[in-house]
Amino acid sequence: MAERVALVTGGTRGIGLGVALALAREGWALAVNGVRPPEEAAPALEALRKAGADPLYVSADIGDAEARARLLGAVRERWGRLDALVNNAGIAPAVRADLLEAGEESFDRLLRVNLRGPHFLTQAIARWMIERWRTGEGPRGGIVFVTSVSAKVASVNRGEYCISKAGLSMAARLWAVRLAEFGIPVWEVRPGIVRTDMTAGVTALYDRLIADGLLLESRWGEPEDVGRAVAMLLRGDLPYASGAVLALDGGLTVPRL
């Protein structure tokens, strides 16, 4: 049986690297992208090799249509197939600004990368998967959207991030509905407070909130927590659940009195 191929966007740092490592350990062939030059991504790529993969790295901004096409072209050239897509790549505001002060430039930047990019990347890959489905070669995996608790929890000092993740959550739902007839499952994984370079600047804030009882599980989430969950989904260990939202937030969003 041909090896299974997965594309993990933003797969050389943070949550994306945690996902890519989990898939590498399970024998997936991996394509990963980022915006850094290959030499800066080299330590992450070496970690993936040690985990068992021979990763393809493409420096490509998924918010750019030409870059997305180049990324998919590289995957086609290397393997000629794609079984799974993990839409993980995303950015935070360069500056956290109050909703009354935040400008359009930051809004446009986040919507381009966090929402438009993965939506249209999914469109292109879904068409490819449907082509293979029509020849009887349906994907042995599916599509995962990595969103955030910010899809539901309002943070008024980074409203553009929340809006982008709320939109991405709906994109996951839309694609689950549209691709159901082709047997392509789609899931949303919604992490909470995860220890990455994106959250490094607010470590003290979240340490205090966690110590004060914000979570049911009183610890930071780790990229490997998300990686294990995504690997479970793409293995097929959660059947009959296309369109499901898997919250990995330590209980942050559980209503309490």
Side-chain angles (χ1 to χ4, degrees):
M1 186 177 288
E3 63 185 341
R4 296 178 300 167
V5 181
L7 167 59
V8 181
T9 65
T12 63
R13 63 199 314 170
I15 288 175
L17 180 56
V19 170
L21 285 168
L23 296 180
R25 295 184 186 112
E26 297 198 0
W28 285 79
L30 285 175
V32 294
N33 83 296
V35 295
R36 296 181 294 170
E39 58 271 20
E40 292 184 19
L45 299 177
E46 181 59 26
L48 291 173
R49 293 186 189 97
K50 290 180 179 178
D54 180 16
L56 168 68
Y57 177 73
V58 181
S59 180
D61 176 359
I62 63 163
D64 179 80
E66 291 184 3
R68 291 194 301 271
R70 179 164 46 81
L71 172 60
L72 290 190
V75 175
R76 281 185 182 269
E77 182 178 354
R78 172 82 176 263
W79 291 288
R81 64 182 291 134
L82 186 65
D83 297 280
L85 166 64
V86 182
N87 281 306
N88 164 79
I91 57 174
V95 176
R96 292 190 174 207
D98 183 270
L99 207 58
L100 291 169
E101 305 296 335
E104 293 187 26
E105 182 178 352
S106 178
F107 186 95
D108 290 346
R109 173 174 171 262
L110 264 71
L111 269 289
R112 179 182 68 82
V113 175
N114 291 1
L115 180 54
R116 190 178 75 188
H119 175 71
F120 284 104
L121 180 64
T122 299
Q123 182 189 72
I125 288 174
R127 290 170 174 169
W128 185 9
M129 288 180 169
I130 291 168
E131 288 174 14
R132 294 184 54 232
W133 175 83
R134 286 179 172 144
T135 65
E137 290 187 274
R140 295 176 291 126
I143 297 173
V144 178
F145 285 80
V146 179
T147 63
S148 166
V149 291
S150 294
K152 297 289 286 185
V153 179
S155 297
V156 296
N157 63 347
R158 53 190 184 118
E160 62 270 58
Y161 183 80
C162 296
I163 291 169
S164 71
K165 291 300 184 177
L168 194 63
S169 177
M170 176 52 74
R173 192 175 309 173
L174 288 166
W175 283 112
V177 173
R178 185 64 185 91
L179 298 179
E181 66 180 284
F182 305 105
I184 301 171
V186 180
W187 307 275
E188 178 187 349
V189 171
R190 191 179 287 171
I193 301 168
V194 178
R195 195 187 308 276
T196 68
D197 53 355
M198 186 182 289
T199 55
V202 287
T203 297
L205 168 64
Y206 286 129
D207 280 347
R208 184 172 68 255
L209 291 172
I210 291 170
D212 288 343
L214 178 67
L215 309 178
L216 300 183
E217 298 183 39
S218 186
R219 68 170 178 88
W220 281 76
E222 301 292 344
E224 67 181 44
D225 295 325
V226 185
R228 290 171 64 184
V230 172
M232 175 269 295
L233 292 171
L234 295 181
R235 274 198 310 271
D237 287 358
L238 192 66
Y240 205 54
S242 188
V245 179
L246 184 58
L248 302 176
D249 63 5
L252 171 63
T253 54
V254 174
R256 286 174 278 174
L257 290 174

